[in-house]
Amino acid sequence: MRLRHQMAASRPVRVRAFAKINLTLRVLGRRSDGYHELRTTFQSITLHDTLEFVRTGAGFSIACDDPRCPADSSNLVWRAAEALWSVAGRNRTMPGTAVRIKKRIPIQAGLGGGSSDAAAALRALPQLWRIRVPDSDLHAMARQIGADVPFFLDGGTTLGLERGDLLFPLLDWPDSRVVLVLPAFGVGTREAFGWWDDDSRRGTTAAPGESDRVPEEFRNDLELAVAARHPEIGRIVQGLAQVGASYAAMSGSGSAVFGLFDGDRQARDAATRLAGAGRRTLVSRTLSRRKYRPLAAPYLV
Ligand code: C5P
């Protein structure tokens, strides 16, 4: 890692941060570090935030058009910037940097918005700061910022083991429309895993007969825990199946529920029929790793 130039004026850098859904999510048990051992299939989708990074006189600031998105050091983008600079900046102070986040990925939805923004910062800041950071260092930093962050460096269809951060690229999932149904409430990741812990102590994590229709792997173990507290989740999953989704499940720790559809028209009809009653719907598409690479690359503006 080395500084290639003095910190001279540079053009703003923009980058897209794509959302994900979890096509499958099995919780295999609790780990000694407090995390949970997972086997999950991540899938990138076209829904994305856009981040713009600009050099300023001094300091680091974040502005976001969604008031629920933190603008302080609790934002994972802040953590990403600090991690990068502590490795790449040696003893210099961080160059003045302002970040603007255009938020489209719903918050507390299990779509990885905060983690994807952090990975986008890890891709974009080396360009803004004109530093070179090896991929292996970026992956190590990503893992420290959050279990989902490493996935967003490469995207596509990917198997995640351990905390979800030991990654194996899979063959791309066939191009599908993804209908997202967002209930009026959000769910915190820690909260959802806590519910899974409570249920597993009581022996209620498995629902007999649940997996009759689809292969054992195709389920989200957190869905049972979240739906037990928020029955709306179960109603949405059923509703999506009734309007023709080839597969429907909660994404990650919720609260978003997705349905997969082959056709655009069918997906739009489903989104219309599932909307209302405090729910919001969005239609997105799966994004292959090959397409992810150029679309997720930072660019000068
Ligand atoms: O890694 P990250 O900070 O995004 O995770 C948020 C929380 O989700 C963790 O603090 C932990 O409670 C829970 N989690 C977990 N097992 C995982 C991933 C996340 O228990 N594999």
Side-chain angles (χ1 to χ4, degrees), residues 114-130:
S115 301
S116 188
D117 289 354
L122 291 178
R123 295 193 298 274
L125 283 171
Q127 192 162 336
L128 185 81
W129 292 341
R130 298 179 180 174

Side-chain angles (χ1 to χ4, degrees), residues 34-38 115 145-148 162-164 189-190 193:
Y35 274 77
H36 292 75
E37 194 74 11
L38 302 184
S115 301
I145 297 164
D148 277 359
E162 298 188 347
R163 298 187 318 158
T189 306
R190 194 184 291 264
F193 278 103

Side-chain angles (χ1 to χ4, degrees), residues 277-289:
R279 300 173 186 162
R280 207 155 59 87
T281 57
L282 289 168
V283 181
S284 186
R285 267 178 99 137
T286 54
L287 187 59
S288 67
R289 184 172 303 100

Side-chain angles (χ1 to χ4, degrees), residues 209-215 237 241 245-248:
E210 262 289 308
S211 54
D212 283 356
R213 279 186 314 121
V214 289
V237 172
S246 56
Y247 178 59

Side-chain angles (χ1 to χ4, degrees), residues 67-290:
R68 289 169 312 157
C69 160
D72 59 14
S73 60
S74 66
N75 191 310
L76 296 185
V77 167
W78 197 294
R79 302 242 322 262
E82 279 183 343
L84 257 179
W85 194 253
S86 72
V87 173
R90 299 179 191 152
N91 294 323
R92 297 162 195 257
T93 43
M94 190 192 285
T97 304
V99 190
R100 277 215 315 265
I101 305 177
K102 185 166 173 44
K103 200 90 200 131
R104 294 191 201 83
I105 306 173
I107 288 165
Q108 287 215 311
L111 300 172
S115 301
S116 188
D117 289 354
L122 291 178
R123 295 193 298 274
L125 283 171
Q127 192 162 336
L128 185 81
W129 292 341
R130 298 179 180 174
I131 54 177
R132 232 192 256 277
V133 185
D135 277 356
S136 57
D137 286 8
L138 283 186
H139 277 271
M141 282 180 235
R143 214 168 289 129
Q144 279 179 8
I145 297 164
D148 277 359
V149 182
F151 162 71
F152 291 104
L153 290 175
D154 298 306
T157 307
T158 302
L159 176 68
L161 302 181
E162 298 188 347
R163 298 187 318 158
D165 55 356
L166 178 63
L167 300 173
F168 298 91
L170 298 176
L171 283 177
D172 283 319
W173 188 262
D175 188 24
S176 308
R177 298 299 193 281
V178 181
V179 174
L180 296 171
V181 183
L182 304 149
F185 55 88
V187 175
T189 306
R190 194 184 291 264
E191 192 179 29
F193 278 103
W195 291 336
W196 186 92
D197 288 339
D198 294 344
D199 292 353
S200 70
R201 274 192 290 273
R202 281 195 234 110
T204 53
T205 44
E210 262 289 308
S211 54
D212 283 356
R213 279 186 314 121
V214 289
E216 177 76 353
E217 202 57 29
F218 275 83
R219 57 191 250 190
N220 178 347
D221 286 334
L222 293 176
E223 184 181 314
L224 288 170
V226 176
R229 279 85 182 170
H230 291 291
E232 169 75 342
I233 297 291
R235 287 194 288 271
I236 297 172
V237 172
Q238 283 207 324
L240 282 165
Q242 276 162 10
V243 297
S246 56
Y247 178 59
M250 191 180 78
S251 181
S253 51
S255 62
V257 175
F258 67 89
L260 302 182
F261 293 84
D262 292 335
D264 194 44
R265 176 88 186 272
Q266 199 195 14
R268 287 187 189 284
D269 287 351
T272 307
R273 288 171 68 179
L274 268 291
R279 300 173 186 162
R280 207 155 59 87
T281 57
L282 289 168
V283 181
S284 186
R285 267 178 99 137
T286 54
L287 187 59
S288 67
R289 184 172 303 100
R290 188 175 53 80

